[in-house]
Every structure is written in structure tokens, then in C-alpha cells.
Amino acid sequence: RPSAPAGRGPENHPAPDARDTTASLENLLNETRSFPPSPEFAAQANAQPELYEEARADRLAFWARQANDLVTWQTPFTETLDWSQAPVARWFADGTLNAAYNAVDRHVEAGLGDRVAIHFEGEPGDTRTVTYAELQRDVSRAANALAALGVETGDRVVIYLPMVVEAVVAMLACARIGAPHSVVFGGFSADALRSRIADAEAKLVITADGGYRRGAASALKPAVDEALAPKDGAEPTTVEHVLVVRRTGQDTAWTEGRDVWWHDALEAADTTHTPVWVEAEHPLFILYTSGTTGKPKGILHTTGGYLTQAAYTHRNVFDLKADTDVYWCTADIGWVTGHSYVVYGPLLNGATQVIYEGTPDSPHQGRWWEIVEKYRVSILYTAPTAIRACMKWGEEIPAKFDLSSLRVLGSVGEPSNPEAWTGYRRVIGGDRTPIVDTWWQTETGAIMISPLPGVTAAKPGSAQVPLPGIVADVVDDEARSVPNGGGGYLVLSEPWPSMLRGIWGDLERFKDTYWSRFPGIYFAGDGAKKDEDGDIWLLGRVDDVMNVSGHRLSTTEIESALVSHEIVAEAAVVGASDDLTGQAVVAFVILRGEHAGRASDADGAAAVQTELRNHVAKEIGPIAKPKRILVVPELPKTRSGKIMRRLLRDVAENRTVGDATTLADSSVMELISAGLQKPSSSDD
Ligand code: PRX
């Protein structure tokens, strides 16, 4: 048996999942089929095998060519990479450019103004078609409106919007004036929004009255009002104005002088705007993501390198043919996938794409496939969770729709189990389409490891190979490359154009988080293994980060949310494997003395669970709600006081509890197992 990744040192950082994943991986490797590209596809593909050779021969020259071919520079760059201040990279640093110009204007100048940029499909069924020329007008107007509200180059703008066209326009308008945007997913709570606004010291917030979800209008602006309201002990926010898109028409509280309607601001604004040319290393956006500590990290991305890699990967990994393809990435703009593969990658490449506001099952479970049929979508990029849900609902649902337009399928965000992969290809891809399982992170900015359609013979469940220009490896505890068949830690050994440039306002944390485990090498936080061919298989996180439905959640952040509730004395959170969502959040809590009796019967335990789940939703957002909350008398701790999450994960996954000899009190696990209420699952 190939060795599983070794422990990361402290009790909380072993690679526990690798044990089980490795076992199932072995079964699957035995029966792995690979899917070679069809000769027809290979002949027409954007990516050819020579791309690997070109990048291997001279990696920096390769990236310089991509930057020149795919991006329009106002001032050309002369130096490709400056790594002298590692780990802060500078790519194409003396070049100047503008992201919005590259995404929109240059296509209009090239005579493509009438090409559809966005087919928007609202959840209630309303639609809107936006051409590149219209997008240019809207983005220019919005840029003028932002400037009129006092937003200047370098000021931060927080965007808190549903998946509507205005979200794309808002991001591009910020980019146009060189104001870094920080998009906060609309499912995050007012508290989460407040801390992100404060950390970024934002000057403006762009939001909407609400959005549509599962057939109903839900409100969004109240969360902004709450996030901006004075709070005891908190500094007043730096926000001067709130720009509000009218999406649902619902009543909205209004703060005179601060709040401005988006449509009023745009109507008053000129339709032309000269983009602000910025240096390649000018910040393009900050995107907050969960880490191993309670405080989300503001991942910083800059302009030139990010755009280069977003455009390069989008073109080659999805084989985009801009004049014929209809592309659809189902991610929300609140996540990095929405940044790189809804906004910047596709628009830089002049793609026509679909944007859909709602959920896949509303008003019926065939909604996505109806959209594929309606717009003749040819490239679909989504997460394994969605595919698993679709398979669960039944193959007969997609079978009702004409999906013959699809020619490339993509997957991102979590390990894609081979069953889901093969189902995706057979049921959605008509046994015909290549599938690209793309591994990357908020921090990497763009896809890093993925098959290339037309080149790679795809193996279900594996991201397989670093893209041309990317150097990745799987290493052991001493940073030694493991042999084929071995497991370890996924690292990126050379800088790449779209790499994060830091954590906003915290250089030390940046160095410590990513560059200290293996000095000089980027540690991704994922366990991985190499198969006998040297292909990479992702095994999940080896730190305290969970992956629920492809969304990153921090165990510590949810623990902090739980202990902030008055009845909770202590909490420990683990990610337990889940058939549908990959992992599910399971929390173990100790109640404070005077409340300890509240969970003594099933009704009481259920009431406590509901109360605490709602509390987590309020503190962080509904996506962070634990699926199960178990009230326990004790938590398993080492002598140094660290919670042994590994043992709790055994309990949560109904396994025999593993080695507990390092516990300070070895009877604790018996106490926990004996005292557990029958696990009740979540109500949503
Ligand atoms: O654990 C890996 C998992 O998602 C993490 C990154 O999460 P986030 O920054 O939210 O970005 C998600 C979208 C890019 C990684 O550390 N992950 C992402 N893609 C894959 C994956 N795990 C396995 N296979 C993938 N294709």
C-alpha cells in the first residue's frame, strides 16, 4: 500500500482523511479507465502537446508569450518575473494595462461589439442579453458613477450582490478606475460582511435590494445596513456611500446622503470613460477566504499576471472558441471561480456566456439542463456537489433535455469521485465530452492542475497534470519529492503569474501560512498522491479547513461562532465525509453549567441544535451551519490542551475511534460515545 501523507506534526494537522481516501483510491486505481481524446477533438483543440514542451524549454518566455498574446498592454513590459522579493512576486511589472479595457473595450474596437457577452437568466425567468458594446457602455457609466461618488484609484469597493449582470458591471467598473474590488458572497451574514468591510477599509459598498432564490425574493440590503450600523467597541466603518441595485423592487430602508440607487447614478453618468492605466502589479481585487484560524484572509490579486493566467487557462483548459462556443460557469461571483471564470477569463477571451441567478432545482430539478438546451451551452463548468445532486435526483431529468450542444465539461472545488465523474460524462456529456477536473485555489488565482482536453487521456477523479507553465509536486515531510505511487503534500515549486501577492495588510501571515511549512515553496494545504504514471490525485485538506459543497470553511471560525453563544462553553468542529456535499460540518459542544441540562432529552437536544445552527448562520452565514451538533460532556484533548479532531471525526463518521493514547484523559472518548444523543440530521 502506498504510504499516506505523513502527519503534519501537531495533533491537529495529520492527514487523517488520506487513510480512508487512499483505501478507496486504491480500489479505484485498479479499475481506472482513461478516456483518450477523440482524434477530431484533438485536431481542433486550442491546446496542443507542444505547449508542454514550449513551457518546459523556457518557462518565463512561455509566460511572456501568453501575456503578449492574450492581454493588451498600454505600455509593454520588459521584465517577465521579478522574484527578488520572494515570496512576493512581481510579474510583467513595468507593463501597464487596464483589466476592464481588456475584458470589454478591445473586443468592441476589434468590431465585435454586437457579440453577446452575457445571456442572463434570472431565477423568476426574466432574461436579458448584453452585447460587448452594451457592456462597454454600462461599465463606462458605472465607472463614471463611482468616480462621482468619490471613489479613486486604489480605494477599495465591497460588492455584495446576487448573480445579476450588475455584479459583473460593478467589478469591471472598479477595475476600470483601478479601485480594487472585494466581492463578498451574498450568503454571508451581516457580521461576516462587517468584518470584511472593516479589514479592507472599503469606501463604497455596492449591493441590491435583494435577489431571487428558490422562487422567492430575499433581501440583501438589510445585511449591509446592519454591517454599517454603529456597534459598541467597533471602529466606525470607512464606508461613505452604498450603491443599491434595484433587483426585486421590495421595500428597502434608506439612509439619506449615504444610499444611492444604482440606476439613478448610472443614468446621470456619461457613457464614455477613459480607463485608468495601472501598473501590472496594481491590486485588482481582494477576496476573503477561510483559513485555519478564525479570521478570514484577504487574498490579494494584482492585474497583469492574474489576467494573463485567467485568460490562458480559460482558453486552453476549456478549449474556448470565442466565435462559436456558449460557455457557462455556474459559480457565484462571490467565489474565486466566479472572478476568474465568470468575469475575467471568459470576458478577456471575448466569450459568450450564460449567467444564471438561481439554484439548480428551482422551479424544477431540470432547470440547469433547460438552460443548456435553451442557449445551446457548449462548455459547462461546475462543482462535483452539483453533479452528485443531479445524479441523486435521477438521470431521467437531464434526459428530457437536448444536451447535444455540450462539448467540454469542467469540474472544480473538491475532489471529484470517479462515480460522479463518469456519471457527469455519460449523463450530461452524452459519453462524448472531455471532462477537465481542475485543481486550484483562491490563492492560486487560476487553474493550476488539470487535464488539457484534446491532449490528456482523462482519468476519472484525478486532476492529473500541472498545466504548461506550472510546476507542482507531491512531497514528504522533508520536502522530498515522493516517488510515483507515493502520497504527501501538494506544493507549487515555482512562482506563477496569477499567484496571490499577499494577505491584505498582513505580510507575515502570508509568509507563515504558505511559505513556512516548506521554506521557499508554496504549500497548498492539500494532501495528494501520485499514481504510477505520476498523475496527481487530490486527497483533501490536511489542515483545519473543511470543504463543504466545494466551499471552504474553517473549523476554527465555526468554533468561534459557537462559543460566542451564551450557552456554549466549548466547541470543536470537524468535517465529516458526506455523500452529497463532500464534507459536512459536525460540531461537538459542551454547554455551560447552568444550561447543561437543556440537552438531556431528544427534544431539548433538537432545540439546542436549532438555536446554535441559527446562531452560526447569523455569525457567518447559512453555508456554515453545522449539519449536526452533538452535545457532549467533554472534548478529547492532548496533554497540551489541543483538541484531537481526528477522534471526533471518527465519531462523526461512525467509525471505531482510533488511537487515543495521547489523550490527557483516555476515558473521554467513552464518555462522549456513551453520552451521545442519537444523531439528528439537519432540516435544510
Ligand atoms: O482542497 C482544495 C479544493 O478546494 C480548495 C480551494 O478552495 P477555494 O480557495 O475555495 O477555491 C475553490 C475553487 C478554485 C483546495 O485547496 N479543490 C479545489 N479544486 C479541487 C479541489 N480538490 C480536489 N480537486 C479539485 N479539482
Side-chain angles (χ1 to χ4, degrees):
R1 152 193 281 253
S3 61
R8 213 196 140 187
E11 266 307 334
N12 275 338
H13 299 278
D17 292 331
R19 224 183 15 199
D20 315 302
T21 331
T22 309
S24 60
L25 196 64
E26 270 176 295
N27 296 339
L28 128 213
L29 283 179
N30 293 336
E31 58 188 58
T32 291
R33 287 203 291 148
S34 82
F35 294 79
S38 72
E40 302 77 48
F41 195 104
Q44 310 276 328
N46 290 346
Q48 295 295 323
E50 295 77 49
L51 214 53
Y52 290 102
E53 282 155 40
E54 183 196 343
R56 239 189 319 260
D58 187 341
R59 201 171 55 86
L60 294 185
F62 169 84
W63 281 120
R65 180 173 79 79
Q66 299 301 336
N68 283 317
D69 285 359
L70 299 173
V71 175
T72 303
W73 298 83
Q74 174 71 1
T75 323
F77 59 89
T78 61
E79 187 184 20
T80 302
L81 170 66
D82 172 5
W83 191 227
S84 62
Q85 293 159 53
V88 182
R90 292 168 58 78
W91 283 86
F92 318 120
D94 60 349
T96 66
L97 75 170
N98 181 278
Y101 173 83
N102 270 278
V104 183
D105 302 58
R106 63 173 178 157
H107 304 311
V108 180
E109 288 170 12
L112 302 173
D114 291 337
R115 179 181 289 173
V116 173
I118 298 171
H119 289 294
F120 171 74
E121 178 88 13
E123 159 131 328
D126 56 321
T127 60
R128 194 178 151 193
T129 303
V130 185
T131 64
Y132 274 92
E134 287 162 343
L135 195 57
Q136 184 186 33
R137 278 194 293 274
D138 274 6
V139 172
S140 299
R141 273 204 168 110
N144 283 319
L146 295 188
L149 289 170
V151 180
E152 294 174 8
T153 305
D155 287 342
R156 274 81 58 206
V157 174
V158 163
I159 297 176
Y160 186 67
L161 282 171
M163 270 307 272
V164 290
V165 173
E166 287 82 355
V168 179
V169 174
M171 288 165 74
L172 293 173
C174 291
R176 206 173 170 94
I177 60 174
H181 52 71
S182 184
V183 182
V184 177
F185 175 57
F188 277 121
S189 68
D191 284 348
L193 179 62
R194 173 198 291 273
S195 66
R196 286 157 175 78
I197 290 171
D199 190 78
E201 297 181 285
K203 196 171 197 178
L204 179 84
V205 177
I206 306 179
T207 188
D209 50 358
Y212 292 97
R213 216 173 153 74
R214 298 220 153 84
S218 62
L220 211 51
K221 182 158 180 292
V224 177
D225 292 332
E226 195 185 329
L228 298 181
K231 189 178 172 186
D232 282 348
E235 298 264 316
T237 77
T238 44
V239 171
E240 293 173 6
H241 290 288
V242 178
L243 203 47
V244 189
V245 172
R246 187 154 64 203
R247 168 70 183 131
T248 61
Q250 67 203 101
D251 280 343
T252 294
W254 207 252
T255 304
E256 285 305 330
R258 186 196 72 182
D259 299 349
V260 179
W261 283 112
W262 168 270
H263 55 264
D264 287 343
L266 261 68
E267 264 159 39
D270 205 272
T271 54
T272 58
H273 176 270
T274 310
V276 175
W277 306 110
V278 298
E279 292 177 353
E281 286 300 336
H282 186 78
L284 179 61
F285 65 87
I286 303 165
L287 185 59
Y288 287 85
T289 188
S290 294
T292 52
T293 67
K295 190 170 177 272
K297 304 177 282 201
I299 302 299
L300 173 65
H301 283 288
T302 58
T303 310
Y306 170 81
L307 292 179
T308 298
Q309 198 174 325
Y312 156 74
T313 50
H314 182 259
R315 184 184 134 76
N316 289 293
V317 174
F318 301 111
D319 191 45
L320 179 86
K321 308 283 197 279
D323 45 356
T324 47
D325 275 317
V326 178
Y327 165 87
W328 182 20
C329 166
T330 64
D332 190 281
I333 48 132
W335 311 111
V336 74
T337 310
H339 284 59
S340 304
Y341 300 106
V342 175
V343 182
Y344 293 108
L347 294 177
L348 249 81
N349 289 333
T352 294
Q353 70 176 317
V354 171
I355 288 183
Y356 170 54
E357 180 186 24
T359 52
D361 54 352
S362 186
H364 57 80
Q365 293 174 334
R367 184 72 189 267
W368 273 14
W369 317 120
E370 187 177 69
I371 292 173
V372 169
E373 176 180 282
K374 175 173 174 186
Y375 295 102
R376 306 287 305 151
V377 171
S378 55
I379 305 171
L380 178 68
Y381 190 31
T382 191
T385 292
I387 300 306
R388 289 192 292 263
C390 161
M391 298 300 154
K392 192 177 131 199
W393 296 335
E395 292 182 18
E396 65 284 1
I397 295 173
K400 283 191 223 139
F401 301 90
D402 176 5
L403 307 181
S404 61
S405 53
L406 288 170
R407 62 177 202 91
V408 179
L409 301 178
S411 147
V412 61
E414 34 172 343
S416 146
N417 45 320
E419 300 73 29
W421 194 104
T422 41
Y424 193 19
R425 186 173 192 276
R426 184 172 50 81
V427 178
I428 308 303
D431 250 337
R432 162 188 87 242
T433 55
I435 297 190
V436 287
D437 178 350
T438 63
W439 178 90
W440 58 296
Q441 308 177 294
T442 306
E443 291 86 341
T444 70
I447 299 171
M448 303 291 284
I449 305 179
S450 167
L452 283 178
V455 179
T456 318
K459 293 177 186 171
S462 171
Q464 295 187 289
V465 260
L467 291 179
I470 299 301
V471 188
D473 200 359
V474 181
V475 300
D476 66 14
D477 263 318
E478 271 73 54
R480 285 179 305 234
S481 184
V482 304
N484 287 355
Y489 304 101
L490 182 67
V491 295
L492 302 166
S493 357
E494 296 289 345
W496 63 99
S498 63
M499 68 196 292
L500 75 166
R501 300 302 198 266
I503 294 177
W504 185 251
D506 202 341
L507 186 64
E508 281 315 306
R509 190 175 176 201
F510 167 59
K511 291 181 177 164
D512 189 53
T513 309
Y514 304 105
W515 304 91
S516 67
R517 179 69 182 79
F518 305 108
I521 301 178
Y522 176 92
F523 170 48
D526 281 297
K529 71 172 258 126
K530 290 184 198 165
D531 67 15
E532 295 303 334
D533 302 323
D535 282 332
I536 295 174
W537 297 71
L538 275 306
L539 298 176
R541 302 287 304 192
V542 295
D543 54 14
D544 296 334
V545 172
M546 297 171 289
N547 190 326
V548 179
S549 302
H551 296 150
R552 247 163 97 162
L553 298 170
S554 149
T555 50
T556 341
E557 199 180 348
I558 299 177
E559 285 164 5
S560 306
L562 285 166
V563 294
S564 74
H565 193 284
E566 57 181 7
I567 68 170
V568 177
E570 275 192 79
V573 165
V574 298
S577 50
D578 185 278
D579 285 346
L580 205 56
T581 55
Q583 284 189 308
V585 180
V586 177
F588 295 80
V589 298
I590 303 178
L591 298 184
R592 284 187 186 284
E594 63 273 33
H595 300 282
R598 283 187 52 184
S600 54
D601 59 27
D603 285 350
V608 166
Q609 164 153 291
T610 306
E611 191 171 336
L612 294 181
R613 292 179 75 239
N614 290 340
H615 180 69
V616 173
K618 185 188 167 301
E619 291 287 306
I620 304 173
I623 50 166
K625 274 190 192 178
K627 184 170 180 186
R628 280 160 63 193
I629 296 182
L630 306 169
V631 176
V632 292
E634 291 288 348
L635 289 172
K637 289 187 186 153
T638 60
R639 281 172 205 98
S640 60
K642 287 212 176 72
I643 294 170
M644 289 185 72
R645 292 202 181 82
R646 171 169 65 79
L647 300 177
L648 293 175
R649 201 177 291 121
D650 287 341
V651 174
E653 293 176 351
N654 301 319
R655 258 198 311 268
T656 317
V657 173
D659 181 8
T661 47
T662 51
L663 282 183
D665 173 359
S666 57
S667 65
V668 166
M669 289 315 295
E670 285 151 42
L671 214 58
I672 290 177
S673 306
L676 278 186
Q677 302 292 333
K678 192 180 169 309
S680 51
S681 65
S682 67
D683 42 277
D684 56 358

